[in-house]
Amino acid sequence: MSLRSIWKKENLKRLAFEGERKRCDRNWLTHKQRVQQVFDEFLTLAPRFMVMDSVTARRATEESSPLQYGEDSVVLSEMSFFTRRKTEYRNGVSVKIDREKEVGGSLTVHYTEGEAVIQVFFTPPISDQSTIEKMDVLFWYGRNTDDLTISFVEGLISKFLIFCRVESNFQRSSIFERARVRWWRFMDVRNRWQLYGTHIGLLNLWEVTVVTGLIAVAGLLVAIFN
């Protein structure tokens, strides 16, 4: 294969993806509105939640924070609430009460312009007095805005609610649901980098255990039927 044919084949792929990126940039606002509509419809059923987009966030912080362009997002968040735990500080004259609050979890649909990168993050609920570090989960990654259908976004909300119940100290979850959340944390390599601080291989320890078990079962079946 000549250099000319190598570059011709490669250039066709690059031009094709460039066209896809431009199409996604043009269509992002339409798909963003669809995501917002699904979120807003959910709010009519669950008033404890709220929706915010990055444009609103920029307006709220433009006086004190640098403005970022080339990326956009829509966020569905559960409102924070005060727990029953509190700490009283007394100095003989006055009393100060510090009430613990659980900050609600959030579902973020993020888009990066020019790259056509869509990322969905789950942020866990956490106490504002907790010493435990809880990390976001990169739940889904794609490069086609057409994937953001109504049914897909509804599915994201369903899984996000499971995630919040598992991560919250004030909700109850099943063993199966906790296993699902555990898998979501391990299924993308970028989440594994967060957990281990480095890339330790193609599979993490939990996945290695599962694969080893499957291989053992397969080996047993082969031994039985042979």
Side-chain angles (χ1 to χ4, degrees):
M1 183 179 293
S2 66
L3 290 177
R4 182 180 297 276
S5 60
I6 292 173
W7 171 243
K8 181 179 180 180
K9 183 177 180 180
E10 173 66 21
N11 194 42
L12 289 175
K13 293 181 179 180
R14 295 191 178 203
L15 291 175
F17 183 56
E18 181 180 359
E20 293 176 8
R21 288 190 287 111
K22 290 180 178 179
R23 178 185 61 81
C24 288
D25 285 349
R26 290 193 304 268
N27 295 340
W28 161 245
L29 289 180
T30 300
H31 293 288
K32 175 185 175 181
Q33 291 173 357
R34 180 180 298 129
V35 174
Q36 289 176 314
Q37 289 172 359
V38 177
F39 284 0
D40 289 338
E41 182 179 353
F42 177 71
L43 294 187
T44 62
L45 304 172
R48 283 187 55 183
F49 289 77
M50 58 183 178
V51 176
M52 178 174 286
D53 62 62
S54 59
V55 174
T56 303
R58 284 200 295 268
R59 288 173 182 169
T61 60
E62 60 185 0
E63 296 296 331
S64 59
S65 302
L67 302 181
Q68 294 182 330
Y69 297 94
E71 55 184 346
D72 197 7
S73 61
V74 188
V75 182
L76 174 68
S77 300
E78 187 169 10
M79 295 182 183
S80 303
F81 66 93
F82 287 106
T83 73
R84 294 187 176 182
R85 291 190 289 269
K86 62 182 180 180
T87 304
E88 291 188 1
Y89 300 91
R90 300 175 181 268
N91 59 9
V93 179
S94 61
V95 178
K96 177 185 177 183
I97 300 178
D98 186 7
R99 299 181 62 187
E100 182 187 39
K101 180 174 62 176
E102 181 172 276
V103 180
S106 60
L107 159 60
T108 301
V109 179
H110 184 276
Y111 181 73
T112 304
E113 297 178 6
E115 300 177 21
V117 173
I118 310 165
Q119 298 176 95
V120 175
F121 296 96
F122 289 171
T123 301
I126 188 171
S127 165
D128 62 352
Q129 297 181 12
S130 175
T131 58
I132 300 175
E133 182 182 1
K134 288 189 175 183
M135 296 172 292
D136 293 354
V137 172
L138 175 60
F139 178 77
W140 184 83
Y141 168 92
R143 308 197 78 161
N144 186 353
T145 52
D146 292 341
D147 292 332
L148 298 176
T149 62
I150 292 178
S151 60
F152 177 77
V153 179
E154 290 175 343
L156 290 179
I157 293 177
S158 175
K159 294 177 178 64
F160 167 64
L161 295 177
I162 293 174
F163 177 80
C164 286
R165 280 197 290 105
V166 170
E167 294 291 334
S168 174
N169 292 328
F170 298 90
Q171 302 291 336
R172 184 175 65 182
S173 58
S174 67
I175 295 176
F176 176 69
E177 289 171 336
R178 292 193 291 274
R180 290 184 71 183
V181 171
R182 179 175 174 83
W183 173 248
W184 295 342
R185 287 192 176 278
F186 282 93
M187 68 181 181
D188 191 283
V189 67
R190 282 156 292 191
N191 293 329
R192 294 198 287 271
W193 287 342
Q194 284 186 341
L195 290 174
Y196 297 109
T198 183
H199 180 56
I200 63 170
L202 179 62
L203 301 177
N204 57 58
L205 298 178
W206 193 57
E207 292 168 331
V208 168
T209 303
V210 173
V211 172
T212 301
L214 293 175
I215 293 175
V217 171
L220 178 62
L221 293 176
V222 171
I224 291 176
F225 291 104
N226 286 342

